[in-house]
Amino acid sequence: MMKTIDIGHRKLFLDEAISLLESEVSDALYRGNVQAIKIIHGHGSGALRRAVREWCKNQQGRFKAIIFGEDYDMFHPESATMRSECGLPYDPDFGKRNRAITYIWF
């Protein structure tokens, strides 16, 4: 199962958005019922995208993979493996090179 978290369209301050992300990720890991999270951080100025990806980078070892939306296609090995292992037959952003999203695979 994949959970979607939209922190890009909620008019949150940067620190609030990252705090919400941490809370949602921790909850998903604790419950164990989610295999991947799709984070919608939006396009905007790019500040939230950079903050989300920096946060993910700082969590190194906690996740199987962090996949940027612009890499999420059938030619990206981790994308293909994540979709297969998580049973994700359809995602409208697959292959769209969407920089407004980032995926975390547990």
Side-chain angles (χ1 to χ4, degrees), residues 3-44:
K3 180 176 185 170
T4 300
I5 302 169
D6 186 349
I7 58 174
H9 300 100
R10 297 179 67 172
K11 304 208 185 288
L12 300 170
F13 290 108
L14 196 58
D15 59 334
E16 292 173 323
I18 297 302
S19 180
L20 178 60
L21 173 62
E22 170 64 42
S23 175
E24 292 283 346
V25 167
S26 293
D27 185 61
L29 285 168
Y30 175 75
R31 292 181 187 274
N33 61 345
V34 175
Q35 296 166 298
I37 290 184
K38 177 182 185 176
I39 306 159
I40 301 171
H41 40 68
H43 291 286

Side-chain angles (χ1 to χ4, degrees), residues 11-104:
K11 304 208 185 288
L12 300 170
F13 290 108
L14 196 58
D15 59 334
E16 292 173 323
I18 297 302
S19 180
L20 178 60
L21 173 62
E22 170 64 42
S23 175
E24 292 283 346
V25 167
S26 293
D27 185 61
L29 285 168
Y30 175 75
R31 292 181 187 274
N33 61 345
V34 175
Q35 296 166 298
I37 290 184
K38 177 182 185 176
I39 306 159
I40 301 171
H41 40 68
H43 291 286
S45 69
L48 184 54
R49 179 184 70 242
R50 288 188 298 275
V52 164
R53 292 179 178 183
E54 184 65 27
W55 180 86
C56 290
K57 181 180 162 191
N58 291 336
Q59 305 296 312
Q60 189 172 11
R62 192 174 181 195
F63 313 124
K64 285 185 184 178
I66 297 145
I67 303 166
F68 300 160
E70 57 269 28
D71 298 328
Y72 185 59
D73 63 26
M74 68 176 143
F75 301 108
H76 186 262
E78 290 175 328
S79 297
T81 304
M82 178 187 78
R83 289 175 51 77
S84 174
E85 287 189 16
C86 296
L88 302 173
Y90 176 75
D91 182 346
D93 290 304
F94 187 66
K96 301 287 182 169
R97 302 220 170 269
N98 187 350
R99 291 174 41 113
I101 57 177
T102 299
Y103 294 85
I104 297 174

